[in-house]
Amino acid sequence: MSLGALTFLSPWLLASLAALPIIYWLLRTVPPSPRQVTFPPTRILVGLENKDKTPAASPWWLTLIRLLAAALFIFALADPVMNPTREAALKGTGPIAIVVDNGWSSAAHWDQRKRMIDRLITDAEGQSRAVVIVPTAPTSKGATAQIEAPSDARSTAAALMPQPFAPDRLAAANTLAAAVEGAAGGTSVVWLSDDIDHDGNAAAAAAKLRELATDGTLAVVEDGGNREPLGLNAGIGIQSGRLEARILRPNGDGTRDGFVHAISTRGQSLAEASFRFLPGQTELVVPFDLPLELRNQIGRVEIAGERAAGAVSLIDARSQWHRVALISGESREQAQPLLAPLYYIEKALAPSAELIRPKGSNLVAGIQEALSQNASVLMLADIGTLSGDAAHHVADWVEKGGVLVRFAGPRLENGGDELLPVPLRLGGRTLGGALSWSTPQKLGPIENQSPFAGLTVPPEVTVNRQVLADPAMLGPDVQVWARLEDGTPLVTERKLGQGRIILFHVTANTDWSNLPLSGLFVEMLRRIAALGTSVASGDASGSVTADNAVATAADMPAVLPPLQTLNGYGVLGPPPPTAQPVAAEKAHDLVPTLDHPPGYYGAGNAPRAINVLHTDSSLAPLPPLPSGTDRLNYSSESSQPLKPWLLLAALGLLFADMIAVILLRAGGFGGVRRRTQRPAGAALALAVIGAGAMLTVAPPQAFAQTSGASPAGAAVPRPQNPSVNQATDERAIEATAKVTLGYVLTGNAEVDEISRVGLDGLGRLLSVRTAIEPGRPLGINILTDEIAFYPVIYWPVLPDAQALPEDVLAKIDAYMKQGGLIVFDTRDYGLGLTGTGGPSEAALKRITGKLDMPRLEPVPENHVLTKAFYLLRNFPGRWDGGQLWVEALDNDDGPSRRARISDGVTSIIVTANDLASAWALDESGRPLYPTVGGGENQREMAFRTGVNIVMHALTGNYKADQVHVPALLERLGQ
């Protein structure tokens, strides 16, 4: 019997409610309370006998408590259930068959499935029905299902775990059919699905289950909402050339947000990218923009929070990028680039490798340039002979682990050199043509031990010319990776030290073969590029680190044993006993099973990753189910049996009744026969009844929401005083709202005030004479304040200035190297000294002694500072005569030239002329301090010095670039 969301499993017990009036008549009385009798000495035995034996009537609230307790007992015995949507799956009298999708897609919400299984077993136990549990992903070989008692079924269910491969539902349906064959009564089949049609057989499996549940009920439990499983496959994008994560979902209902993490082989998170599914989308591609060195350290890509093997994609050498240097000896590279050999190589490798094209035509210089950039693979197209320094550098590089790939051509037909896998015959071989009886040869099948194993050989690929290997020199150290149909080697390889030498016996363009036009050529080059390991030009050890060991894939065995495998939750660990080796030629497109779970296979230094999903995988939703199938979802798990809570509430009311009777017998409520009860008694009764009602109607989830915890289970952060952060933010906003000049606070109030009014006066002049409208100058605590907001910092140096801490020096050094300008003013020239060796010079050395200071020099005649805004020859302040020192501009064009780095802006200026005092003005614009030596004309030049310093810091070397304008105009004909 159902009443909305409430259902009674034993409704016939509700007939006991008719006995409530009798219970009321029986429970409306209470024993009489004891009488209080005066005990005078003269009446010891008189009047003590109470002849009134009629029990007094109980208070109305006590009778109500007893009636409620009786009613709750009756309701509890009727087995009420809140939200009983799952009970529809249990119709029938035979066994309850629980078919569980325990493939990789069930792992993310496995706890939910375990609770559902436990609930179904409990319901079967209440109905005295047997249970049979059938997993759709086998957990062991030769597994069978059997009908069990509910207690035994709990042990079977506890042993179930999600598997790291897709389920086989047809096999599970056949196993269930064999288990329930001959079972009496109608079988109820409950299919706990994962919402995915993995192999296209979901409809057939559902029809088979429908046949087994002819006399019972077939119910399918689905995830629904935004709880559908997600899949992931990561690899190099064909178009973008970046590492991309392809995220899949079976249905396009609603939106879905999340994050994808790229994790190194050491477990470090290297990158994070967000994704968002829009309604209707079932596939997303999320790229990772990482430097080459970081990208090659990625060992796995996974969806955050989706604990499933299908949400993890393992990365091996095939998905790593390598630096490939390309050098060609063909002279028509510039004339016909689309026919050049390197054009086809570039097109094949550009999406999956970082290509290096040395500048210039000098072979030795080109090889040195390529190797200096830590190329892992060097490809030479039609270079006949390597000799001298070039041969020595290449041989040394290969011995340290490099991969040398050479392509044949007219030059190589004349012989070759020592850096070939096998000696060649002179003249080569022509297949087809007017003067040949032979015809172009097709490619033969690729052998299993070749790194090209598993690649499909297109039948249209032919070879009409090649260089021939000397058959007598094909020893055991020479490997043939590809052959023609007649057995002639097409690709040969030989080890040299820790590296290898590979030769294509045809050209890299279409002159000798149409192989470069095929997809086979692309896959060949990508697999060869994956063989390389980073070799530092100056590293003589040639050792392979743990980070790039996976890239040294060399010997591809015919059989790849399992090294580490994923479990159903996507955790990498030792392979299970059921894991079997994989044939190398089948590893490329292997579908994981119980025998071959996903993970790493092969040699320890060159494993092959086998993932649940491949580049062409997709997740399809479940097809329409047979008619009469009940569709449920796991959210119905919120239904709760109310019997325990009703019994608890009834016991609570009985306990309250006992306390009330004790109080009544003790006279705690003012006597039994009083018709007017105290308000406290009524209040107590109402409180007890209210508590019982709450216990009756509130499911367990309601108490969790009133416990004071946050919805996610995290602690609610305490409010903090934001005054410090707010002040810092306000200062940053003020410093960046306008061009702001800063001055270092020295602790001397007078000097700090001079710095402030001096920069304020300079700012007013800048507003009048230039386009700059600076804000008010700000004082800087060099120890604590951020200095990156200020293009120019004025630093008055006092004689007692002390050395700075290491972290402050690092901050100043970073500021100067990133384009900032600091003006150190020792202010001591007016003391009669020469500007060198003044009293503040020692303090300046204490401040700057540990800085990474550039070399200083007096301002050169043509320095940008002399013409940034005004044309200046000297740079006075309050004093005139002190030398202005700036960063020295080196004449070389090397990368260490600091001026080039910061756009020609000197990072430091040192003066002793007390610039701030010359700039200081009062509110009316009148000077505060006299200039010594040149009067107001000197003050004007001091202001012009300040203007040039600010303009130089803001505009860089644009004035220096103007010297090229006449030459540019002349070239343009103007």
Side-chain angles (χ1 to χ4, degrees):
M1 185 179 71
S2 300
L3 297 174
L6 184 65
T7 292
F8 294 93
L9 301 183
S10 303
W12 55 273
L13 288 174
L14 295 178
S16 302
L17 293 175
L20 285 180
I22 302 175
I23 297 174
Y24 168 75
W25 182 78
L26 293 175
L27 299 180
R28 63 186 297 270
T29 61
V30 294
S33 60
R35 294 180 58 194
Q36 294 181 355
V37 179
T38 307
F39 185 66
T42 58
R43 301 185 61 186
I44 296 177
L45 302 176
V46 179
L48 294 180
E49 183 180 2
N50 184 12
K51 299 180 180 180
D52 188 4
K53 302 299 182 181
T54 303
S58 64
W60 65 269
W61 50 268
L62 184 60
T63 304
L64 181 59
I65 289 176
R66 294 172 175 176
L67 288 177
L68 283 177
L72 290 178
F73 271 116
I74 295 173
F75 278 111
L77 295 176
D79 290 327
V81 176
M82 185 68 70
N83 299 324
T85 54
R86 292 174 297 178
E87 307 306 323
L90 303 181
K91 296 178 181 178
T93 58
I96 297 178
I98 306 175
V99 181
V100 185
D101 278 346
N102 62 324
W104 65 264
S105 49
S106 65
H109 305 293
W110 184 249
D111 291 339
Q112 190 181 50
R113 283 169 169 77
K114 289 177 62 177
R115 290 192 295 269
M116 175 68 80
I117 295 173
D118 183 71
R119 174 59 180 163
L120 292 172
I121 294 176
T122 300
D123 295 335
E125 192 173 22
Q127 299 181 24
S128 300
R129 301 175 66 179
V131 178
V132 54
I133 298 179
V134 181
T136 57
T139 58
S140 60
K141 295 183 178 180
T144 59
Q146 58 183 352
I147 300 176
E148 302 173 304
S151 58
D152 297 331
R154 293 187 188 276
S155 300
T156 303
L160 280 181
M161 294 294 291
Q163 300 300 310
F165 45 85
D168 187 354
R169 298 189 178 108
L170 275 179
N174 294 330
T175 301
L176 176 61
V180 300
E181 184 178 2
T187 302
S188 297
V189 180
V190 184
W191 175 17
L192 277 61
S193 73
D194 58 10
D195 295 348
I196 299 178
D197 187 1
H198 295 273
D199 51 7
N201 294 326
K208 182 71 173 178
L209 296 178
R210 175 72 271 178
E211 295 177 2
L212 297 176
T214 303
D215 299 329
T217 300
L218 171 62
V220 178
V221 185
E222 302 169 313
D223 280 304
N226 286 337
R227 302 177 64 86
E228 59 185 354
L230 299 178
L232 172 71
N233 174 259
I236 300 298
I238 298 177
Q239 301 297 330
S240 64
R242 297 175 295 182
L243 179 64
E244 295 177 344
R246 192 168 64 98
I247 308 173
L248 306 173
R249 66 171 180 172
N251 300 297
D253 299 336
T255 60
R256 184 85 178 265
D257 301 332
F259 293 91
V260 182
H261 292 163
I263 302 174
S264 70
T265 54
R266 299 178 180 178
Q268 300 170 331
S269 180
L270 300 180
E272 178 182 273
S274 62
F275 66 88
R276 179 180 178 83
F277 278 105
L278 298 177
Q281 283 186 313
T282 58
E283 179 178 339
L284 283 178
V285 176
V286 179
F288 289 97
D289 293 320
L290 291 172
L292 179 65
E293 288 74 13
L294 286 180
R295 180 171 47 197
N296 286 346
Q297 294 181 26
I298 297 177
R300 58 189 283 158
V301 179
E302 62 182 28
I303 302 176
E306 197 77 8
R307 298 177 60 247
V312 175
S313 183
L314 301 178
I315 303 297
D316 58 15
R318 295 173 300 170
S319 297
Q320 292 185 347
W321 271 42
H322 301 273
R323 287 190 176 97
V324 179
L326 307 179
I327 300 177
S328 174
E330 192 167 76
S331 59
R332 61 179 184 178
E333 286 278 331
Q334 299 297 328
Q336 296 178 332
L338 298 183
L339 300 179
L342 296 186
Y343 174 80
Y344 296 92
I345 299 177
E346 288 178 350
K347 287 296 182 181
L349 293 178
S352 59
E354 182 177 323
L355 303 181
I356 301 174
R357 292 289 303 270
K359 300 177 181 179
S361 57
N362 186 289
L363 179 61
V364 177
I367 290 176
Q368 291 179 344
E369 179 183 351
L371 301 186
S372 66
Q373 298 184 44
N374 295 335
S376 60
V377 179
L378 176 62
M379 293 191 176
L380 306 180
D382 192 22
I383 294 179
T385 303
L386 288 174
S387 60
D389 291 340
H392 174 72
H393 291 320
V394 173
D396 183 64
W397 172 79
V398 172
E399 289 180 351
K400 295 177 182 178
V403 176
L404 174 63
V405 183
R406 303 186 67 172
F407 291 87
R411 292 183 177 88
L412 206 58
E413 283 184 319
N414 297 325
D417 50 44
E418 297 296 328
L419 293 177
L420 290 172
V422 61
L424 303 178
R425 287 188 173 183
L426 296 178
R429 178 192 186 193
T430 301
L431 302 171
L435 300 179
S436 175
W437 294 97
S438 60
T439 58
Q441 286 283 322
K442 294 183 179 181
L443 271 64
I446 298 176
E447 300 176 0
N448 294 336
Q449 64 270 19
S450 170
F452 305 147
L455 297 181
T456 302
V457 178
E460 65 274 9
V461 174
T462 58
V463 175
N464 51 32
R465 190 175 177 182
Q466 67 172 145
V467 292
L468 288 175
D470 189 348
M473 304 301 294
L474 286 173
D477 59 333
V478 178
Q479 302 294 325
V480 179
W481 287 1
R483 300 176 183 270
L484 301 182
E485 280 187 337
D486 61 359
T488 306
L490 178 67
V491 181
T492 55
E493 177 267 349
R494 174 174 63 90
K495 288 184 178 180
L496 179 61
Q498 296 183 6
R500 61 191 61 251
I501 301 174
I502 303 171
L503 172 64
F504 280 76
H505 291 242
V506 294
T507 58
N509 59 8
T510 57
D511 289 347
W512 289 12
S513 170
N514 61 355
L515 175 64
L517 299 177
S518 66
L520 176 63
F521 185 73
V522 176
E523 294 299 329
M524 283 181 169
L525 294 188
R526 289 185 178 179
R527 293 197 180 186
I528 290 176
L531 301 178
T533 179
S534 179
V535 182
S537 58
D539 184 11
S541 65
S543 60
V544 181
T545 64
D547 290 337
N548 57 35
V550 71
T552 62
D555 299 326
M556 190 68 64
V559 178
L560 307 178
L563 295 176
Q564 288 183 306
T565 58
L566 295 173
N567 62 12
Y569 296 107
V571 178
L572 202 62
T578 57
Q580 300 295 323
V582 176
E585 69 274 10
K586 298 180 180 179
H588 181 66
D589 53 355
L590 180 69
V591 177
T593 60
L594 180 64
D595 293 335
H596 307 299
Y600 285 118
Y601 289 74
N605 64 339
R608 172 71 67 86
I610 295 179
N611 292 303
V612 176
L613 300 178
H614 302 283
T615 55
D616 55 349
S617 299
S618 61
L619 299 182
L622 289 178
L625 299 175
S627 59
T629 302
D630 294 331
R631 282 184 176 268
L632 310 176
N633 58 69
Y634 289 101
S635 62
S636 64
E637 190 182 3
S638 59
S639 60
Q640 294 292 333
L642 300 182
K643 181 177 181 178
W645 301 100
L646 293 177
L647 291 175
L648 180 62
L651 291 176
L653 292 176
L654 291 179
F655 183 72
D657 176 75
M658 294 171 60
I659 295 176
V661 170
I662 292 173
L663 292 176
L664 286 173
R665 293 179 61 86
F669 292 104
V672 179
R673 288 183 173 84
R674 287 186 179 180
R675 298 301 181 185
T676 304
Q677 303 295 328
R678 292 184 178 180
L684 175 63
L686 292 177
V688 172
I689 294 172
M694 290 180 63
L695 287 172
T696 302
V697 301
Q701 290 83 351
F703 300 102
Q705 299 175 4
T706 59
S707 62
S710 61
V716 178
R718 297 180 178 178
Q720 300 177 354
N721 185 1
S723 59
V724 177
N725 293 334
Q726 183 177 1
T728 304
D729 294 342
E730 291 177 354
R731 181 181 178 89
I733 293 173
E734 181 181 3
T736 55
K738 292 184 176 182
V739 175
T740 303
L741 305 179
Y743 61 93
V744 175
L745 298 173
T746 63
N748 187 312
E750 181 182 356
V751 175
D752 295 343
E753 180 63 16
I754 292 175
S755 300
R756 185 190 67 81
V757 296
L759 293 182
D760 183 72
L762 179 61
R764 281 188 267 174
L765 187 72
L766 287 169
S767 300
V768 174
R769 298 186 181 183
T770 70
I772 303 174
E773 295 184 1
R776 68 182 183 93
L778 297 178
I780 301 172
N781 185 335
I782 198 63
L783 298 178
T784 59
D785 290 344
E786 176 59 55
I787 62 177
F789 306 132
Y790 310 96
V792 178
I793 295 177
Y794 179 77
W795 193 325
V797 181
L798 300 184
D800 59 349
Q802 300 300 317
L804 298 175
E806 294 292 337
D807 57 338
V808 178
L809 291 175
K811 177 173 66 175
I812 297 173
D813 183 71
Y815 170 81
M816 296 169 60
K817 290 181 178 178
Q818 294 171 2
L821 170 59
I822 300 180
V823 180
F824 289 98
D825 193 343
T826 59
R827 307 168 66 248
D828 57 1
Y829 183 80
L831 299 181
L833 301 175
T834 61
T836 60
S840 297
E841 182 178 356
L844 179 62
K845 290 182 178 179
R846 287 195 297 270
I847 294 175
T848 62
K850 294 184 179 180
L851 280 176
D852 185 16
M853 291 275 291
R855 183 171 61 87
L856 300 182
E857 65 179 357
V859 179
E861 181 179 356
N862 293 323
H863 195 277
V864 180
L865 192 59
T866 64
K867 50 191 173 184
F869 194 83
Y870 292 103
L871 297 177
L872 300 177
R873 292 183 178 273
N874 59 343
F875 306 91
R878 186 182 182 189
W879 316 105
D880 189 8
Q883 183 63 58
L884 189 74
W885 297 81
V886 297
E887 180 179 347
L889 297 180
D890 297 331
N891 294 325
D892 62 89
D893 294 331
S896 62
R897 183 175 176 180
R898 300 175 62 90
R900 291 283 180 92
I901 298 175
S902 56
D903 196 25
V905 177
T906 179
S907 59
I908 182 173
I909 293 177
V910 179
T911 183
N913 286 338
D914 194 4
L915 296 175
S917 296
W919 299 336
L921 303 174
D922 61 11
E923 296 298 331
S924 302
R926 292 175 296 185
L928 293 178
Y929 302 96
T931 54
V932 180
E936 292 306 311
N937 183 52
Q938 179 179 326
R939 189 184 309 279
E940 172 63 22
M941 299 306 295
F943 271 117
R944 293 188 179 187
T945 298
V947 171
N948 273 24
I949 291 175
V950 175
M951 297 299 291
H952 174 55
L954 297 180
T955 61
N957 59 359
Y958 85 104
K959 281 288 187 178
D961 293 339
Q962 286 185 339
V963 299
H964 303 293
V965 172
L968 294 175
L969 294 177
E970 182 180 357
R971 290 189 178 184
L972 293 174
Q974 300 181 5

